[in-house]
Short mmCIF file of all heavy atoms in Angstrom, two decimals:
data_model
loop_
_atom_site.label_atom_id
_atom_site.label_comp_id
_atom_site.label_asym_id
_atom_site.label_seq_id
_atom_site.Cartn_x
_atom_site.Cartn_y
_atom_site.Cartn_z
N SER A 1 0.84 -1.19 0.00
CA SER A 1 0.00 0.00 0.00
C SER A 1 0.88 1.24 0.00
O SER A 1 1.84 1.34 0.77
CB SER A 1 -0.92 0.01 1.23
OG SER A 1 -1.75 1.14 1.23
N VAL A 2 0.54 2.19 -0.87
CA VAL A 2 1.32 3.41 -0.99
C VAL A 2 0.39 4.59 -1.26
O VAL A 2 -0.71 4.41 -1.81
CB VAL A 2 2.37 3.27 -2.12
CG1 VAL A 2 1.68 3.15 -3.48
CG2 VAL A 2 3.35 4.43 -2.11
N GLN A 3 0.80 5.78 -0.87
CA GLN A 3 0.03 6.98 -1.14
C GLN A 3 0.21 7.43 -2.58
O GLN A 3 1.20 7.08 -3.23
CB GLN A 3 0.46 8.11 -0.20
CG GLN A 3 0.20 7.84 1.27
CD GLN A 3 0.58 9.01 2.14
OE1 GLN A 3 0.46 10.17 1.75
NE2 GLN A 3 1.04 8.72 3.35
N PRO A 4 -0.73 8.19 -3.12
CA PRO A 4 -0.55 8.74 -4.46
C PRO A 4 0.78 9.49 -4.57
O PRO A 4 1.19 10.18 -3.65
CB PRO A 4 -1.73 9.69 -4.62
CG PRO A 4 -2.78 9.10 -3.74
CD PRO A 4 -2.04 8.55 -2.55
N ALA A 5 1.43 9.33 -5.72
CA ALA A 5 2.75 9.89 -6.01
C ALA A 5 3.89 9.12 -5.34
O ALA A 5 5.05 9.49 -5.52
CB ALA A 5 2.85 11.37 -5.67
N GLY A 6 3.57 8.07 -4.63
CA GLY A 6 4.58 7.24 -4.02
C GLY A 6 5.18 6.24 -5.00
O GLY A 6 4.84 6.22 -6.19
N SER A 7 6.07 5.39 -4.50
CA SER A 7 6.79 4.44 -5.34
C SER A 7 6.78 3.04 -4.75
O SER A 7 6.72 2.87 -3.53
CB SER A 7 8.25 4.87 -5.52
OG SER A 7 8.35 6.12 -6.18
N LEU A 8 6.83 2.05 -5.62
CA LEU A 8 7.00 0.66 -5.25
C LEU A 8 7.91 -0.01 -6.27
O LEU A 8 7.94 0.39 -7.44
CB LEU A 8 5.67 -0.09 -5.21
CG LEU A 8 4.73 0.17 -4.04
CD1 LEU A 8 3.40 -0.54 -4.29
CD2 LEU A 8 5.34 -0.32 -2.73
N ARG A 9 8.63 -1.03 -5.83
CA ARG A 9 9.48 -1.81 -6.72
C ARG A 9 9.05 -3.26 -6.64
O ARG A 9 9.19 -3.91 -5.61
CB ARG A 9 10.95 -1.68 -6.32
CG ARG A 9 11.93 -2.44 -7.22
CD ARG A 9 13.36 -2.14 -6.83
NE ARG A 9 14.35 -2.96 -7.50
CZ ARG A 9 14.86 -2.72 -8.70
NH1 ARG A 9 14.45 -1.66 -9.38
NH2 ARG A 9 15.77 -3.53 -9.23
N LEU A 10 8.51 -3.77 -7.73
CA LEU A 10 8.08 -5.16 -7.81
C LEU A 10 9.21 -6.03 -8.33
O LEU A 10 10.00 -5.60 -9.17
CB LEU A 10 6.87 -5.30 -8.73
CG LEU A 10 5.65 -4.42 -8.43
CD1 LEU A 10 4.51 -4.77 -9.38
CD2 LEU A 10 5.21 -4.57 -6.98
N SER A 11 9.26 -7.26 -7.84
CA SER A 11 10.26 -8.22 -8.29
C SER A 11 9.59 -9.51 -8.72
O SER A 11 8.56 -9.90 -8.16
CB SER A 11 11.27 -8.51 -7.18
OG SER A 11 11.99 -7.35 -6.82
N CYS A 12 10.17 -10.17 -9.70
CA CYS A 12 9.70 -11.45 -10.19
C CYS A 12 10.88 -12.40 -10.19
O CYS A 12 11.81 -12.24 -11.00
CB CYS A 12 9.11 -11.32 -11.59
SG CYS A 12 8.72 -12.89 -12.41
N ALA A 13 10.87 -13.37 -9.30
CA ALA A 13 11.95 -14.34 -9.18
C ALA A 13 11.60 -15.61 -9.93
O ALA A 13 10.51 -16.17 -9.75
CB ALA A 13 12.23 -14.64 -7.72
N SER A 14 12.51 -16.08 -10.76
CA SER A 14 12.32 -17.29 -11.54
C SER A 14 13.07 -18.46 -10.92
O SER A 14 14.17 -18.30 -10.40
CB SER A 14 12.80 -17.08 -12.98
OG SER A 14 12.79 -18.29 -13.71
N SER A 15 12.48 -19.65 -11.02
CA SER A 15 13.13 -20.85 -10.51
C SER A 15 14.26 -21.33 -11.40
O SER A 15 15.08 -22.15 -10.97
CB SER A 15 12.10 -21.98 -10.35
OG SER A 15 11.56 -22.34 -11.61
N GLY A 16 14.32 -20.82 -12.62
CA GLY A 16 15.35 -21.21 -13.55
C GLY A 16 15.92 -20.01 -14.28
O GLY A 16 15.51 -18.87 -14.05
N SER A 17 16.84 -20.27 -15.17
CA SER A 17 17.49 -19.20 -15.93
C SER A 17 16.47 -18.45 -16.79
O SER A 17 15.59 -19.05 -17.40
CB SER A 17 18.58 -19.78 -16.81
OG SER A 17 19.13 -18.78 -17.65
N ILE A 18 16.62 -17.14 -16.84
CA ILE A 18 15.78 -16.31 -17.70
C ILE A 18 16.57 -15.74 -18.87
O ILE A 18 16.00 -15.05 -19.71
CB ILE A 18 15.11 -15.16 -16.93
CG1 ILE A 18 16.16 -14.15 -16.43
CG2 ILE A 18 14.28 -15.70 -15.77
CD1 ILE A 18 15.56 -12.87 -15.90
N GLU A 19 17.86 -16.02 -18.94
CA GLU A 19 18.73 -15.40 -19.94
C GLU A 19 18.24 -15.61 -21.36
O GLU A 19 18.32 -14.72 -22.20
CB GLU A 19 20.15 -15.92 -19.79
CG GLU A 19 21.15 -15.29 -20.75
CD GLU A 19 22.56 -15.78 -20.54
OE1 GLU A 19 22.75 -16.70 -19.72
OE2 GLU A 19 23.48 -15.25 -21.18
N LEU A 20 17.73 -16.82 -21.66
CA LEU A 20 17.34 -17.15 -23.02
C LEU A 20 15.84 -17.05 -23.26
O LEU A 20 15.37 -17.37 -24.35
CB LEU A 20 17.82 -18.56 -23.37
CG LEU A 20 19.34 -18.78 -23.29
CD1 LEU A 20 19.69 -20.21 -23.66
CD2 LEU A 20 20.07 -17.80 -24.19
N ILE A 21 15.08 -16.61 -22.27
CA ILE A 21 13.65 -16.41 -22.46
C ILE A 21 13.43 -15.17 -23.32
O ILE A 21 13.91 -14.09 -22.98
CB ILE A 21 12.93 -16.27 -21.10
CG1 ILE A 21 13.05 -17.57 -20.31
CG2 ILE A 21 11.47 -15.89 -21.30
CD1 ILE A 21 12.46 -17.50 -18.93
N TYR A 22 12.70 -15.33 -24.40
CA TYR A 22 12.59 -14.25 -25.38
C TYR A 22 11.96 -12.99 -24.81
O TYR A 22 12.47 -11.89 -25.01
CB TYR A 22 11.80 -14.71 -26.61
CG TYR A 22 11.61 -13.59 -27.60
CD1 TYR A 22 12.69 -13.07 -28.30
CD2 TYR A 22 10.35 -13.04 -27.83
CE1 TYR A 22 12.53 -12.03 -29.19
CE2 TYR A 22 10.18 -12.00 -28.72
CZ TYR A 22 11.28 -11.50 -29.40
OH TYR A 22 11.12 -10.46 -30.29
N VAL A 23 10.84 -13.14 -24.10
CA VAL A 23 10.17 -11.96 -23.59
C VAL A 23 9.60 -12.24 -22.19
O VAL A 23 9.02 -13.29 -21.94
CB VAL A 23 9.06 -11.48 -24.54
CG1 VAL A 23 7.99 -12.54 -24.74
CG2 VAL A 23 8.45 -10.18 -24.06
N MET A 24 9.78 -11.27 -21.31
CA MET A 24 9.17 -11.30 -20.00
C MET A 24 8.41 -9.99 -19.82
O MET A 24 8.76 -8.97 -20.41
CB MET A 24 10.21 -11.46 -18.89
CG MET A 24 10.99 -12.76 -19.00
SD MET A 24 12.10 -13.05 -17.58
CE MET A 24 10.88 -13.35 -16.29
N GLY A 25 7.37 -10.04 -19.01
CA GLY A 25 6.57 -8.83 -18.86
C GLY A 25 5.76 -8.80 -17.58
O GLY A 25 5.64 -9.80 -16.87
N TRP A 26 5.24 -7.62 -17.33
CA TRP A 26 4.34 -7.38 -16.22
C TRP A 26 2.95 -7.08 -16.74
O TRP A 26 2.79 -6.28 -17.68
CB TRP A 26 4.82 -6.21 -15.35
CG TRP A 26 6.04 -6.52 -14.55
CD1 TRP A 26 7.33 -6.24 -14.88
CD2 TRP A 26 6.08 -7.17 -13.28
NE1 TRP A 26 8.18 -6.66 -13.89
CE2 TRP A 26 7.44 -7.24 -12.89
CE3 TRP A 26 5.11 -7.68 -12.42
CZ2 TRP A 26 7.85 -7.81 -11.69
CZ3 TRP A 26 5.52 -8.26 -11.23
CH2 TRP A 26 6.87 -8.33 -10.88
N TYR A 27 1.94 -7.69 -16.14
CA TYR A 27 0.55 -7.47 -16.46
C TYR A 27 -0.18 -7.09 -15.18
O TYR A 27 0.27 -7.41 -14.09
CB TYR A 27 -0.08 -8.73 -17.06
CG TYR A 27 0.48 -9.11 -18.41
CD1 TYR A 27 1.75 -9.66 -18.53
CD2 TYR A 27 -0.27 -8.93 -19.57
CE1 TYR A 27 2.26 -10.01 -19.77
CE2 TYR A 27 0.23 -9.28 -20.81
CZ TYR A 27 1.50 -9.82 -20.90
OH TYR A 27 1.99 -10.17 -22.14
N ARG A 28 -1.30 -6.41 -15.33
CA ARG A 28 -2.09 -6.06 -14.15
C ARG A 28 -3.57 -6.25 -14.44
O ARG A 28 -4.02 -6.18 -15.59
CB ARG A 28 -1.82 -4.63 -13.70
CG ARG A 28 -2.37 -3.54 -14.61
CD ARG A 28 -1.95 -2.17 -14.12
NE ARG A 28 -2.47 -1.10 -14.94
CZ ARG A 28 -2.11 0.17 -14.85
NH1 ARG A 28 -1.20 0.54 -13.94
NH2 ARG A 28 -2.64 1.09 -15.65
N GLN A 29 -4.31 -6.51 -13.38
CA GLN A 29 -5.75 -6.63 -13.48
C GLN A 29 -6.39 -5.77 -12.40
O GLN A 29 -6.20 -6.02 -11.21
CB GLN A 29 -6.20 -8.08 -13.33
CG GLN A 29 -7.69 -8.27 -13.55
CD GLN A 29 -8.08 -9.72 -13.70
OE1 GLN A 29 -7.25 -10.61 -13.57
NE2 GLN A 29 -9.34 -9.96 -13.98
N ARG A 30 -7.12 -4.75 -12.81
CA ARG A 30 -7.82 -3.86 -11.91
C ARG A 30 -9.22 -4.39 -11.67
O ARG A 30 -9.76 -5.12 -12.51
CB ARG A 30 -7.84 -2.44 -12.48
CG ARG A 30 -6.46 -1.80 -12.52
CD ARG A 30 -6.48 -0.40 -13.11
NE ARG A 30 -6.52 -0.43 -14.56
CZ ARG A 30 -6.47 0.65 -15.33
NH1 ARG A 30 -6.39 1.86 -14.76
NH2 ARG A 30 -6.50 0.54 -16.64
N PRO A 31 -9.82 -4.04 -10.54
CA PRO A 31 -11.16 -4.57 -10.22
C PRO A 31 -12.16 -4.30 -11.34
O PRO A 31 -12.29 -3.18 -11.83
CB PRO A 31 -11.53 -3.80 -8.95
CG PRO A 31 -10.22 -3.48 -8.32
CD PRO A 31 -9.30 -3.20 -9.47
N GLY A 32 -12.84 -5.35 -11.76
CA GLY A 32 -13.86 -5.22 -12.77
C GLY A 32 -13.34 -5.06 -14.19
O GLY A 32 -14.13 -4.82 -15.11
N MET A 33 -12.03 -5.20 -14.38
CA MET A 33 -11.44 -5.00 -15.70
C MET A 33 -10.66 -6.24 -16.14
O MET A 33 -10.31 -7.10 -15.34
CB MET A 33 -10.50 -3.79 -15.69
CG MET A 33 -11.17 -2.48 -15.33
SD MET A 33 -10.01 -1.09 -15.28
CE MET A 33 -9.50 -1.02 -17.00
N GLN A 34 -10.40 -6.31 -17.44
CA GLN A 34 -9.60 -7.39 -17.99
C GLN A 34 -8.12 -7.16 -17.72
O GLN A 34 -7.68 -6.03 -17.50
CB GLN A 34 -9.83 -7.52 -19.50
CG GLN A 34 -11.23 -7.93 -19.90
CD GLN A 34 -11.56 -9.32 -19.42
OE1 GLN A 34 -12.39 -9.50 -18.53
NE2 GLN A 34 -10.90 -10.32 -19.99
N ARG A 35 -7.36 -8.24 -17.72
CA ARG A 35 -5.92 -8.14 -17.55
C ARG A 35 -5.32 -7.34 -18.70
O ARG A 35 -5.71 -7.51 -19.86
CB ARG A 35 -5.31 -9.54 -17.51
CG ARG A 35 -3.82 -9.58 -17.26
CD ARG A 35 -3.31 -11.01 -17.28
NE ARG A 35 -3.52 -11.62 -18.58
CZ ARG A 35 -3.33 -12.91 -18.85
NH1 ARG A 35 -2.94 -13.73 -17.88
NH2 ARG A 35 -3.53 -13.38 -20.07
N GLU A 36 -4.37 -6.48 -18.40
CA GLU A 36 -3.73 -5.67 -19.41
C GLU A 36 -2.21 -5.74 -19.29
O GLU A 36 -1.67 -5.91 -18.20
CB GLU A 36 -4.20 -4.21 -19.33
CG GLU A 36 -3.86 -3.52 -18.02
CD GLU A 36 -4.45 -2.12 -17.93
OE1 GLU A 36 -4.85 -1.56 -18.97
OE2 GLU A 36 -4.51 -1.58 -16.81
N GLU A 37 -1.55 -5.60 -20.42
CA GLU A 37 -0.09 -5.61 -20.46
C GLU A 37 0.43 -4.26 -19.99
O GLU A 37 0.05 -3.22 -20.53
CB GLU A 37 0.38 -5.91 -21.87
CG GLU A 37 1.88 -6.02 -22.03
CD GLU A 37 2.26 -6.33 -23.47
OE1 GLU A 37 2.15 -7.51 -23.86
OE2 GLU A 37 2.64 -5.39 -24.19
#
């Protein structure tokens, strides 16, 4: 939880190597909405 204009740093840890994975990304889903890139 953060106030407006604040900051957060999200992390995604993989169980294996990510070096050769072509694309990685972050998606979000807001209440009542579809998942978006």
Side-chain angles (χ1 to χ4, degrees):
S1 181
V2 66
Q3 297 183 33
S7 298
L8 286 173
R9 182 175 172 84
L10 306 184
S11 297
C12 171
S14 172
S15 63
S17 174
I18 66 169
E19 182 178 6
L20 300 180
I21 295 176
Y22 177 68
V23 61
M24 299 187 69
W26 289 96
Y27 293 73
R28 71 185 181 190
Q29 185 167 3
R30 293 179 280 184
M33 300 178 64
Q34 295 295 111
R35 183 182 63 189
E36 62 185 343
E37 183 180 281

